[in-house]
Amino acid sequence: KQEVTQIPAALSVPEGENLVLNCSFTDSAIYNLQWFRQDPGKGLTSLLLIQSSQREQTSGRLNASLDKSSGRSTLYIAASQPGDSATYLCAVEGDYKLSFGAGTTVTVRA
Amino acid sequence: DAMVIQNPRYQVTQFGKPVTLSCSQTLNHNVMYWYQQKSSQAPKLLFHYYDKDFNNEADTPDNFQSRRPNTSFCFLDIRSPGLGDAAMYLCATSRSPGWGETQYFGPGTRLLVL
């Protein structure tokens, strides 16, 4: 059974600092890994999807890396802003289903 | 131009009183999923439909059922809600199951059981 872990559970940084969010998974037989954003009481918004054959994916200030062999992914958010405050979840896809981590809740202080 | 719509956004029900949550999509996707997310926990897949084929997760309680009358709509029925069923219920869609297809999520329905 796939287990996905995100550490730390919460993170608080001053505006402008770069954010580094970690995700680890136990079974390297995955199709892809996704990073999602969840605002309080809301649904999930897909940020980045990395195929299993890729090493990284970038979108604006966001960059995600994937090391399948070690079961790790990292999401980097450059020059954080208060609007980046949210919970960030990673999910790995095996067969047809996504297995999620519990997320890292980020607070960016103005 | 909402793509995955969930109604209602908030639902309050009484212990043991059946409740139905609704999801609709304008993406014409073949797959629809239902997830349960309890506070500060990871979303957990309950079941999914691939077209009309229903796929139940092994650990989904019998209390939870689903219907998909057509491509656009999918319903989650909770036959006898217990206090432990209070959660956010997320609906998602994708073009096909797996193979790198992005899942698109709705805003969720928060269920409170009194």
Side-chain angles (χ1 to χ4, degrees), chain A residues 83-107:
Chain A
D84 294 329
S85 298
T87 297
Y88 293 84
L89 295 94
C90 72
V92 295
E93 181 173 10
D95 293 327
Y96 61 87
K97 61 188 289 186
L98 290 178
S99 296
F100 283 86
T104 295
T105 298
V106 171
T107 301

Side-chain angles (χ1 to χ4, degrees), chain B:
Chain B
D1 55 341
M3 296 184 291
V4 183
I5 303 159
Q6 291 189 243
N7 287 304
R9 295 292 310 278
Y10 300 92
Q11 176 74 57
V12 181
T13 191
Q14 293 178 336
F15 183 95
K17 184 175 181 180
V19 66
T20 295
L21 308 182
S22 170
C23 178
S24 63
Q25 53 132 340
T26 59
L27 297 163
N28 203 34
H29 282 172
N30 295 313
V31 190
M32 296 186 78
Y33 307 81
W34 279 105
Y35 291 85
Q36 178 193 62
Q37 185 182 25
K38 296 187 177 180
S39 182
S40 300
Q41 295 185 20
K44 176 180 174 300
L45 181 65
L46 295 174
F47 26 60
H48 76 279
Y49 272 96
Y50 184 14
D51 290 331
K52 295 181 180 179
D53 292 335
F54 177 70
N55 298 273
N56 198 34
E57 292 300 297
D59 55 356
T60 298
D62 292 340
N63 198 26
F64 291 86
Q65 297 179 337
S66 185
R67 296 170 284 134
R68 189 179 186 185
N70 54 52
T71 300
S72 300
F73 284 87
C74 193
F75 300 99
L76 170 62
D77 300 309
I78 308 176
R79 290 192 295 183
S80 181
L83 297 179
D85 297 328
M88 174 76 88
Y89 290 88
L90 298 165
C91 174
T93 74
S94 67
R95 286 189 301 182
S96 63
W99 304 300
E101 291 287 345
T102 299
Q103 291 189 19
Y104 295 85
F105 283 79
T109 294
R110 182 166 296 281
L111 178 68
L112 181 62
V113 182
L114 300 178

Side-chain angles (χ1 to χ4, degrees), chain A residues 32-102:
Chain A
N32 61 60
L33 182 144
Q34 283 185 258
W35 282 93
F36 291 88
R37 171 180 171 140
Q38 186 173 33
D39 292 294
K42 301 290 179 64
L44 304 179
T45 301
S46 181
L47 297 173
L48 291 168
L49 184 150
I50 312 175
Q51 301 287 1
S52 62
S53 58
Q54 297 177 314
R55 298 282 293 183
E56 66 177 335
Q57 194 68 250
T58 298
S59 176
R61 294 184 295 113
L62 276 60
N63 173 274
S65 65
L66 173 63
D67 184 342
K68 215 171 67 158
S69 61
S70 67
R72 295 182 186 276
S73 176
T74 302
L75 177 66
Y76 300 89
I77 303 177
S80 61
Q81 304 168 358
D84 294 329
S85 298
T87 297
Y88 293 84
L89 295 94
C90 72
V92 295
E93 181 173 10
D95 293 327
Y96 61 87
K97 61 188 289 186
L98 290 178
S99 296
F100 283 86

